[in-house]
Amino acid sequence: MTANFDRLTRTGVTHINFSDADFQALAAMARRDIGLNLTENKKPLIYSRLAPRLKARAVQSFTDYLTLLDSKGEHEERRAMISALTTNVTSFFREHHHFETLRTECLPDVVERVKNGGRLRLWSAGCSSGQEAYCLAMTLLEFWPGAPSGDARILATDIDPKIITSAKSGVYKCSELDSLTEKQRFGFFRKTPDAPDCLEVTPAIRDLVSFAELNLMSDWPFKGPFDAIFCRNVAIYFDTETQQVLWDRFCDFLAPGGFLFIGHSERITGPAESRLQVAGTTCFRKRAD
């Protein structure tokens, strides 16, 4: 692997020294601060993603870059590093069966409660560029058009500050909306004069969603409880121990009977296993007791 990595880095205009010790130090920082599990085989990928940051800051080696990250006043560079290291792949109504479960199993009882003075809270944890959160809003409005008049809110969080800015804009290329029905495209999106090849979400959708930057490894500045939490294809970047802690924390923030939706490659293990029951494919429900 080292030989392949050396050949990879020599193809660039400028080689930046990235020793195994540098990689281990960076991996330890990523795991400690944001929970990322960076294995040795990802060294070439990490190099390609972070080398532009070093060049932008005129830093000559990864050793110096690690020193820079630990320096006072470099909060923005640490955020830029997080943006470079995290992967944002999503689409509208990805794993459609999750939204069907939300529609048929979760919303009927919760919406009835809201109509009688209660509240509804959904959380897209690891929302990426916003498609998942807006799909939650579309599903809610399709089920209950009166949602804006009730106490219904959707929280959408991600660790990447750049992607949160993109999500807040609610603007997407028309080609990204291919998975939507014609009714959804015309009912929940409108033309944007600044980008003729794009559409933006309507105020009815946007107003239901609150976006915020959040590191899942840090304290969560809210109490819940949530009726459903979507955290899909996020935990695959964590090691097993970190995953188990995260699943258990989600259980703490779920209402009794609340739903947890995870990615197709993820599995619930650890203490959360006894607190959740299977409610569908990669869908779990918090036990009432």
Side-chain angles (χ1 to χ4, degrees):
M1 195 283 294
T2 301
N4 290 337
F5 175 69
D6 289 341
R7 285 196 296 271
L8 173 72
T9 56
R10 281 199 298 267
T11 61
V13 175
T14 303
H15 170 72
I16 302 174
N17 185 49
F18 191 24
S19 68
D20 288 342
D22 291 334
F23 175 78
Q24 293 301 328
L26 182 62
M29 177 187 292
R31 188 184 189 283
R32 180 191 70 231
D33 294 347
I34 58 178
L36 281 182
N37 182 32
L38 301 181
T39 54
E40 183 71 17
N41 64 334
K42 294 179 179 175
K43 186 177 178 181
L45 175 65
I46 301 308
Y47 179 95
S48 65
R49 290 189 174 186
L50 289 183
R53 292 305 317 154
L54 274 71
K55 293 176 182 178
R57 297 300 305 272
V59 176
Q60 301 303 312
S61 71
F62 276 83
T63 301
D64 292 340
Y65 186 62
L66 287 163
T67 301
L68 176 70
L69 290 172
D70 279 333
S71 303
K72 290 183 178 180
E74 290 295 341
H75 176 67
E76 288 304 315
E77 185 57 41
R78 286 191 287 273
R79 295 176 79 203
M81 180 199 70
I82 290 171
S83 293
L85 290 181
T86 49
T87 301
N88 296 290
V89 178
T90 188
S91 60
F92 285 100
F93 288 103
R94 187 180 188 185
E95 297 185 61
H96 193 272
H97 59 94
H98 284 164
F99 298 95
E100 280 303 307
T101 299
L102 179 72
R103 185 196 313 270
T104 60
E105 301 297 327
C106 177
L107 290 183
D109 290 340
V110 177
V111 166
E112 192 62 32
R113 185 182 70 214
V114 176
K115 290 179 180 179
N116 289 302
R119 47 175 267 174
L120 179 154
R121 293 294 184 271
L122 308 177
W123 180 14
S124 172
C127 66
S128 189
S129 46
Q131 288 93 326
E132 180 178 87
Y134 291 130
C135 285
L136 294 178
M138 284 186 271
T139 301
L140 176 58
L141 283 174
E142 287 175 335
F143 183 85
W144 181 36
S149 64
D151 190 357
R153 299 295 302 167
I154 298 166
L155 173 65
T157 64
D158 200 280
I159 194 172
D160 185 344
K162 291 183 179 179
I163 209 69
I164 283 292
T165 299
S166 174
K168 285 180 178 179
S169 74
V171 176
Y172 301 93
K173 290 186 178 297
C174 294
S175 59
E176 296 181 80
L177 309 182
D178 290 343
S179 59
L180 302 182
T181 66
E182 185 173 327
K183 184 177 180 181
Q184 288 169 335
R185 284 196 300 272
F186 284 98
F188 297 128
F189 292 82
R190 64 185 185 182
K191 294 181 179 180
T192 172
D194 296 331
D197 62 336
C198 296
L199 295 175
E200 64 178 352
V201 296
T202 61
I205 293 292
R206 192 192 306 273
D207 292 347
L208 284 172
V209 185
S210 297
F211 288 97
E213 183 183 340
L214 180 70
N215 181 353
L216 289 174
M217 298 300 106
S218 66
D219 293 333
W220 298 349
F222 42 79
K223 296 181 179 180
F226 293 93
D227 301 294
I229 298 174
F230 279 61
C231 187
R232 307 183 302 167
N233 306 306
V234 173
I236 55 174
Y237 301 104
F238 304 151
D239 61 23
T240 300
E241 180 184 355
T242 304
Q243 289 178 13
Q244 292 179 351
V245 171
L246 183 62
W247 302 142
D248 203 37
R249 288 185 76 188
F250 281 144
C251 287
D252 291 339
F253 281 74
L254 275 174
F259 289 79
L260 173 63
F261 298 89
I262 66 175
H264 69 278
S265 298
E266 297 164 336
R267 300 291 180 269
I268 299 292
T269 61
E273 281 190 278
S274 62
R275 306 178 69 183
L276 298 167
Q277 60 187 27
V278 177
T281 304
T282 53
C283 169
F284 302 85
R285 193 167 192 178
K286 184 178 177 179
R287 298 181 186 275
D289 57 352

